[in-house]
Amino acid sequence: MADIIDGKAFAAGLREKIASQVATIKQQSGITPGLAVVLVGEDPASQVYVRNKGKQTVEVGMNSIEHKLDVSTPQDELLQLIDKLNNDSSVHGILVQLPLPSHIDEEAVINSIHFDKDVDGFHLTNVGRLSIGSEGIVPCTPLGSIMMLRDKLGDLSGLNAVVVGRSNIVGKPMASLLLQENCTVTIAHSRTKDLPQVCSEADIVIAAVGRPEMIKQDWIKPGATVIDVGINRLEAEGGKTRLVGDVDFEGASKVAGAITPVPGGVGPMTIACLLHNTMQQCCRLNGLDVPQV
Ligand code: GUN
């Protein structure tokens, strides 16, 4: 049976470290890091995320600023708010919760955030920095995944890593980070031929496709490390729902060396990394030493 990688415990440890870094920043400079989160509309999943982000931001000693806008808010109004936050020296991180309503151009909004206040790592400048391996902000979910991999495996050099999924939020930045760790990286996707075969050669599998339990036991090489980024809500008995990942956990955990569960794996790490990114941007904006992970 595989070792279960406890993302919840890992995230709690990371938050403790961040809280102590925040305390040092306050003591040395008098600055309290501030994270502004903007939510447009009332998508239930987004509301849950935003609430959790706000709560955990305060718990590590940072200021949380929330802006909730009506679903019909014109794009110009959202851009004006971002301009205001860009120029507010008490705000060090700006996150606009995605997805945005269809009348708003997501790319225009993301790139209107100052790149040194971008805590998602989605701004083109930060995407470019990651792709050439220079210092910048790394998207939260891939960052959390790489932290758990390093903790579990130590040096990743020379390992075969297969990333299933090619999104801008997870797949592509994940591949860049694994390459920086000297892995041999394959990005697989919906058009990949013989996906089971490709996965079965991986020492590390990153599942980020958004398809419930798609990756099966016999796709996993014995002893491989499996990071499941998927969060899928399935109907369960009695009208309830249950969360499952992109990996068939029950099957895969019989052959993998280590695996992240859903829930309790990558999910908790994402918000902890958001707090880490906010703390880093606060240091960058104020000319303080930027603590690394
Ligand atoms: N919606 C779901 N995940 C994310 C995320 O990581 N960042 C933002 N901005 N929106 C999201």
Side-chain angles (χ1 to χ4, degrees):
M1 280 298 282
D3 290 345
I4 310 296
I5 301 174
D6 186 347
K8 206 170 155 189
F10 200 116
L14 181 57
R15 286 198 304 272
E16 256 178 48
K17 221 190 274 175
I18 296 165
S20 120
Q21 287 163 338
V22 168
T24 307
I25 293 170
K26 280 187 191 172
Q27 200 181 21
Q28 289 179 347
S29 65
I31 297 164
T32 302
L35 171 63
V37 174
V38 181
L39 174 63
V40 185
E42 292 177 0
D43 175 69
S46 293
Q47 283 178 324
V48 173
Y49 285 137
V50 167
R51 201 176 319 127
N52 286 338
K53 282 171 193 164
K55 191 167 154 265
Q56 294 188 26
T57 304
V58 171
E59 277 169 8
V60 296
M62 299 188 192
N63 288 330
S64 167
I65 304 110
E66 279 181 22
H67 289 270
K68 293 187 176 162
L69 307 182
D70 191 83
V71 68
S72 63
T73 302
Q75 178 167 317
D76 272 357
E77 207 173 296
L78 176 57
L79 292 175
Q80 275 168 27
L81 171 61
I82 292 170
D83 188 48
K84 206 174 97 197
L85 296 170
N86 278 337
N87 290 300
D88 181 341
S89 62
S90 70
V91 171
H92 308 99
I94 303 170
L95 179 142
V96 177
Q97 183 68 28
L98 303 178
L100 286 166
S102 57
H103 67 279
I104 296 178
D105 176 352
E106 273 184 9
E107 210 178 310
V109 169
I110 287 167
N111 290 308
S112 74
I113 298 170
H114 190 283
F115 54 79
D116 279 341
K117 292 195 177 187
D118 164 31
V119 281
D120 271 319
F122 297 164
H123 189 286
L124 285 174
T125 298
N126 288 317
V127 174
R129 283 170 171 169
L130 176 62
S131 116
I132 64 166
S134 80
E135 207 185 288
I137 280 297
V138 176
C140 303
T141 301
L143 179 59
S145 302
I146 212 86
M147 283 182 193
M148 290 191 288
L149 281 171
R150 277 204 217 119
D151 182 68
K152 191 75 210 164
L153 299 174
D155 184 10
L156 308 181
S157 286
L159 296 178
N160 267 339
V162 173
V163 181
V164 190
R166 54 175 155 179
S167 69
N168 292 332
I169 294 183
V170 182
K172 288 181 202 162
M174 191 73 231
S176 293
L177 284 174
L178 289 162
L179 196 55
Q180 263 173 38
E181 298 288 328
N182 304 311
C183 290
T184 303
V185 183
T186 303
I187 306 179
H189 46 77
S190 54
R191 306 281 176 90
T192 296
K193 286 186 185 146
D194 204 352
L195 184 57
Q197 167 64 27
V198 171
C199 287
S200 71
E201 289 179 13
D203 302 305
I204 296 169
V205 177
I206 311 285
V209 263
R211 297 247 224 117
E213 300 177 324
M214 186 180 96
I215 294 175
K216 308 293 182 202
Q217 177 177 345
D218 60 356
W219 300 20
I220 306 293
K221 178 161 110 174
T225 304
V226 179
I227 304 288
D228 191 350
V229 177
I231 300 178
N232 309 287
R233 205 169 276 279
L234 291 187
E235 296 291 324
E237 278 169 33
K240 290 188 181 164
T241 59
R242 83 187 161 99
L243 288 184
V244 299
D246 292 348
V247 178
D248 165 21
F249 181 83
E250 204 185 315
S253 59
K254 292 190 181 120
V255 285
I259 187 167
T260 59
V262 176
V266 175
M269 286 299 288
T270 298
I271 297 185
C273 287
L274 172 69
L275 304 176
H276 166 81
N277 283 353
T278 304
M279 185 270 305
Q280 276 205 329
Q281 294 293 48
C282 176
C283 293
R284 215 168 257 128
L285 286 161
N286 290 288
L288 307 170
D289 285 343
V290 181
Q292 301 299 316
V293 209

